[in-house]
Amino acid sequence: MSAITSFEVLDNRISRAGGKPTVLEALWDGDTNGWFLIVSLYTEIGTLFSKKQEVLQLGTVSFGGDIRLFTGEVPAWPEAALMKEWGQKASEKYGLTFYFPSEEPDDDCPDWTRRHLAIHCADCNKLMMKPDSPYLPKDICYPCHLKREQNDRIIKASPCDGGVTLYMTKDDSSRQISYCTHFKDFTIAPFVNDFVQGQLQESEISIVTLGREELIALKGQLETAIEVMLQAYKPPVIEARMKRFVSVYSMTYKDHSYDLMDRSNREHDQLGGLLYAHENVEVAIAGEQVYQFFFKKGITYRDDSMLRFVNYAKEGKTERKEIHERYKGMLTPAEVDETLMKLQKIGCVAVDNDEIRMTPLGQCIL
Ligand SMILES: [Zn+2]
């Protein structure tokens, strides 16, 4: 199905459809590339006495392939906003009904002809088919179910310590180079584990720095590991049936270029990871930068949510009363102030009277 990229394209397809357009429908669907909207047109053909309804798929609306920034605060579905605008225009121009049951990805919404079988979500009022799964609540939609779970974690201040972030830093500027749910998942973890564990502290945020000396030692260890792997290196062999799924990329090591498969080859995955880690360490050493791991211990979903709100929804700066407003009905004003005090104490926000600002440290743990 071809993409609808502007209102003009949509308009053109509606006008060529034939018959009288009655309903324009936009429903979410998803595949391995992500979510997209399928746009269909219901038309009426025939005379007063022999009317027939027809459905025609007009195309898809998608920003597919984008890596979406999931911030938990800012709506990340620009196609929904576009679709709404186009749908309203089409509705005015053709006098049709624009049917767009969900503005966020959800493939449990009924199509136009099955909407009488649907119920309204108790939280957002959107039309939805009752979930089949015994593990899901029957009266709310899946996105609302996730929201309730997230709100529950904020209310209970459940621990949110997962995730370790690695930055390359010099003076005041730092660049995130990697993020793993567990420290052991970093390619370089086996080489620096003893050092890192020895430096970890019992504080909410523990920063472990690999300075120049550690980076030079790491570079040497990576080279030893790479050279062992290179002795057994075999160029890519891709079976015909896998050609659609696997591609080849090149990495250079000491003036030699090596072709590597981007999946289904474990040796290539390992070698690629080591070469990439080596490249980064070389950049850091040459630029006199250091590595910094950020560990969390004692950070809660409440802390995390508030930091995301200030950082993403408010672009790094807001007033205390805006934060109170955001958590109204969920947290008491005292709980909000207490959380802000904690975030200030551990250096994640700066509080100046009632102005709240993100600090670089706060940004580093998101
Ligand atoms: Zn809902």
Side-chain angles (χ1 to χ4, degrees), residues 13 24 32 37 69 94 115 120 129 138 149 167 180 241 261 263 268 273 282 285 287 303 306 314 325 327 345 360:
R13 290 187 195 172
L24 181 68
T32 49
L37 287 163
L69 182 69
Y94 295 95
R115 69 193 189 288
H120 286 275
M129 299 306 280
K138 296 283 171 226
E149 283 194 329
Y167 285 84
C180 290
R241 67 185 174 90
M261 288 159 65
R263 65 186 70 183
H268 285 192
E282 278 195 320
I285 294 171
D303 305 329
M306 226 169 267
K314 294 293 166 190
E325 192 57 36
Y327 294 98
K345 194 173 144 247

Side-chain angles (χ1 to χ4, degrees), residues 102 104 106 120-128 139-145 147:
S102 179
E104 59 193 349
D106 187 347
H120 286 275
C121 166
D123 280 7
C124 72
N125 201 38
K126 155 176 94 186
L127 273 178
M128 58 177 263
D139 59 337
I140 55 170
C141 69
Y142 190 64
C144 284
H145 166 63
K147 255 176 244 163

Side-chain angles (χ1 to χ4, degrees), residues 118-183:
I119 55 166
H120 286 275
C121 166
D123 280 7
C124 72
N125 201 38
K126 155 176 94 186
L127 273 178
M128 58 177 263
M129 299 306 280
K130 264 194 184 169
D132 293 330
S133 163
Y135 305 105
L136 292 173
K138 296 283 171 226
D139 59 337
I140 55 170
C141 69
Y142 190 64
C144 284
H145 166 63
L146 294 182
K147 255 176 244 163
R148 274 195 196 181
E149 283 194 329
Q150 169 68 0
N151 287 350
D152 200 49
R153 288 190 285 259
I154 294 173
I155 292 166
K156 289 186 182 144
S158 315
C160 178
D161 290 332
V164 182
T165 322
L166 174 60
Y167 285 84
M168 205 190 277
T169 307
K170 186 178 185 177
D171 304 327
D172 282 342
S173 72
S174 53
R175 178 169 70 88
Q176 185 179 327
I177 51 174
S178 194
Y179 169 89
C180 290
T181 311
H182 304 287
F183 173 70

